[in-house]
Amino acid sequence: VNAHGRLLKRKMYAQGCECDGVPGLVTAPPAPRLIPKSAAGISIWTEVLLNKFLFSRATYNLCKDYGYRGLPIAPGTLTGGLKRITRLFSPLIAQLVEKQLAEALFHNDETGWKVFESMEGKVGYRWWLWVTQSSSVVYYTLAPSRSGDIPIDYFSGLDKRLEQVIVVCDRYSGYKRLARENAVILLAFCWAHVRRDFLDAAKSWPDLEAWMLSWVERIAELYTLNAKRLEVWDETQGLADQTPAFMEWHQALVQAIEQMAERCDRELEKENLYGAQRDVLNSLKNHWLGLTVFVRFPQVPMDNNTAERRMRNPGMGRKNYYGSGSQWSAGLAAMMFSLFQTVLLWKLNPHHWLHSYLTACAENGGQPPTDLSPFI
């Protein structure tokens, strides 16, 4: 693949008319551009945004690659251009947020992110990237802290007509605070984290390995029964209206859950229980309500893997270019992660989608198109 420069010759014609107010020369209008007087066309910005925020390539490496392909371009040129086109994506994000907050099932997670710009009242450069996925939208936001205020502020915008909202998450205290302060939210905790508790304890306490692994086997049984149940689940029907095949596996799952709860209580009554055993069982019991949400609501997964998978793409970017150099670039990163992952959620072609959107912006004078519906 080589880069090509395209020279557009604007035709100019002499007017034969001598009427007042009519120019003597008429020139064809300039070609649409995202950035006025910029030599970089739409195809370049499409490549840069995709490579940076979907394929996790560092800006310096992009410039080296483009140079080898016949496009010598400085990192500062790309940075300045990205800063100018950031505003083009804000209306799309507003539409995605409005859509997402009208839905009732969410998957949440957070991870560290670096923003290398000093901020008054903040020590260090560590920020947090939060992801919220619903059935139709993947939304990311970058915040300077891991405070529970972040999800609380976001979910305060939920559609008031929603009577119950389920948030699938890990056991981070910020989400527990969210559920306490917002009565419509029900937390569904992650069984993969519980399983990890027992595996970590088995590694740390070899004498207790057999006991810990017996619980891991119990958790594996729950996954198996739930998978069998979902194979015959009709998502258009309520729990009470499912087929006999579904109800058979559902009752087996309910029985396995009850047996696990009974065993947990029996073990905790033992006076000679080791501290490591008591710790994992207390955690299991304290989070039991959230861990069993999936039984009553088959649409809820048993773990938080959906949200954690959405952190893979930003995680690769964090390894390759370390984060964001400024707050505006952090905002752009969150917006592009949101747009690209939502596009992929809908199984659309990100190259086609982005090029079409940027073309519409260029044709509107470097502004977001008036009608966003073709792109969302």
Side-chain angles (χ1 to χ4, degrees):
V1 177
N2 292 324
H4 294 272
R6 189 170 53 165
L7 180 62
L8 302 178
K9 299 183 69 174
R10 297 164 59 193
K11 296 292 186 178
M12 183 180 294
Y13 297 93
Q15 285 273 39
C17 178
E18 297 181 357
C19 301
D20 293 338
V22 176
L25 297 174
V26 177
T27 306
R33 291 188 181 276
L34 278 177
I35 302 174
K37 300 182 180 180
S38 172
I42 295 171
S43 61
I44 292 178
W45 295 117
T46 301
E47 286 289 317
V48 169
L49 289 168
L50 286 168
N51 275 290
K52 178 81 172 179
F53 300 111
L54 185 57
F55 305 124
S56 308
R57 299 183 66 187
T59 303
Y60 177 79
N61 289 339
L62 287 178
C63 293
K64 294 290 289 184
D65 181 23
Y66 296 156
Y68 294 143
R69 290 193 277 162
L71 176 64
I73 188 168
T77 302
L78 294 187
T79 301
L82 291 174
K83 187 174 184 178
R84 296 184 68 176
I85 66 176
T86 296
R87 57 186 173 78
L88 300 178
F89 302 104
S90 298
L92 287 173
I93 297 300
Q95 293 278 341
L96 294 187
V97 169
E98 181 181 356
K99 170 66 176 175
Q100 185 176 69
L101 291 176
E103 298 178 324
L105 176 61
F106 297 89
H107 307 264
N108 272 61
D109 198 19
E110 73 290 330
T111 189
W113 189 266
K114 294 293 181 65
V115 179
F116 296 99
E117 180 179 353
S118 297
M119 181 178 179
E120 186 177 354
K122 178 174 175 59
V123 178
Y125 301 116
R126 188 173 192 183
W127 285 43
W128 291 89
L129 180 68
W130 298 74
V131 64
T132 302
Q133 177 172 336
S134 59
S135 61
S136 60
V137 176
V138 184
Y139 174 69
Y140 294 81
T141 185
L142 269 162
S145 75
R146 200 188 177 200
S147 166
D149 291 336
I150 309 304
I152 289 172
D153 290 344
Y154 184 68
F155 283 107
S156 66
L158 283 170
D159 191 321
K160 303 303 181 185
R161 293 170 293 182
L162 294 171
E163 296 180 358
Q164 185 174 71
V165 170
I166 298 176
V167 178
V168 184
C169 58
D170 56 25
R171 298 166 296 187
Y172 170 51
S173 59
Y175 297 121
K176 298 175 185 177
R177 181 183 158 205
L178 166 67
R180 288 196 302 269
E181 297 191 14
N182 194 326
V184 304
I185 291 180
L186 175 64
L187 298 184
F189 292 128
C190 174
W191 277 98
H193 285 77
V194 177
R195 179 177 182 272
R196 190 184 308 162
D197 290 344
F198 287 102
L199 289 175
D200 290 343
K203 294 177 184 178
S204 301
W205 302 86
D207 293 342
L208 303 177
E209 181 178 5
W211 186 89
M212 296 293 179
L213 294 182
S214 68
W215 284 94
V216 173
E217 292 175 1
R218 287 288 188 97
I219 295 172
E221 180 186 2
L222 298 183
Y223 270 94
T224 300
L225 293 173
N226 191 50
K228 294 291 186 181
R229 181 180 71 150
L230 293 180
E231 288 178 0
V232 290
W233 175 50
D234 183 357
E235 61 182 13
T236 64
Q237 300 294 327
L239 187 62
D241 300 321
Q242 296 293 322
T243 63
F246 174 91
M247 295 308 298
E248 181 180 353
W249 289 112
H250 176 72
Q251 292 301 327
L253 176 63
V254 171
Q255 184 178 0
I257 284 286
E258 291 175 350
Q259 290 174 353
M260 180 178 284
E262 291 172 1
R263 182 187 175 188
C264 180
D265 291 337
R266 287 198 308 269
E267 295 284 357
L268 285 172
E269 290 174 358
K270 295 180 179 179
E271 296 181 358
N272 60 344
L273 203 64
Y274 283 91
Q277 294 172 305
R278 193 172 297 278
D279 288 343
V280 291
L281 291 180
N282 278 330
S283 176
L284 176 63
K285 186 171 183 176
N286 292 338
H287 297 93
W288 190 253
L289 179 62
L291 287 169
T292 54
V293 170
F294 80 98
V295 179
R296 292 173 288 147
F297 301 96
Q299 71 272 24
V300 177
M302 288 183 64
D303 50 48
N304 197 31
N305 291 351
T306 299
E308 292 189 347
R309 289 190 191 103
R310 292 298 176 186
M311 286 302 189
R312 289 179 179 176
N313 177 238
M316 290 299 296
R318 181 177 58 195
K319 290 181 180 295
N320 290 342
Y321 50 82
Y322 303 116
S324 303
S326 60
Q327 293 186 38
W328 73 261
S329 63
L332 175 63
M335 285 194 290
M336 299 316 301
F337 291 147
S338 301
L339 292 171
F340 288 149
Q341 294 303 314
T342 300
V343 164
L344 294 177
L345 180 66
W346 283 91
K347 296 180 173 58
L348 301 177
N349 186 322
H351 292 267
H352 173 73
W353 179 88
L354 182 59
H355 191 274
S356 299
Y357 181 71
L358 294 182
T359 299
C361 292
E363 292 173 348
N364 195 35
Q367 301 294 327
T370 305
D371 182 15
L372 295 175
S373 59
F375 307 101
I376 55 173

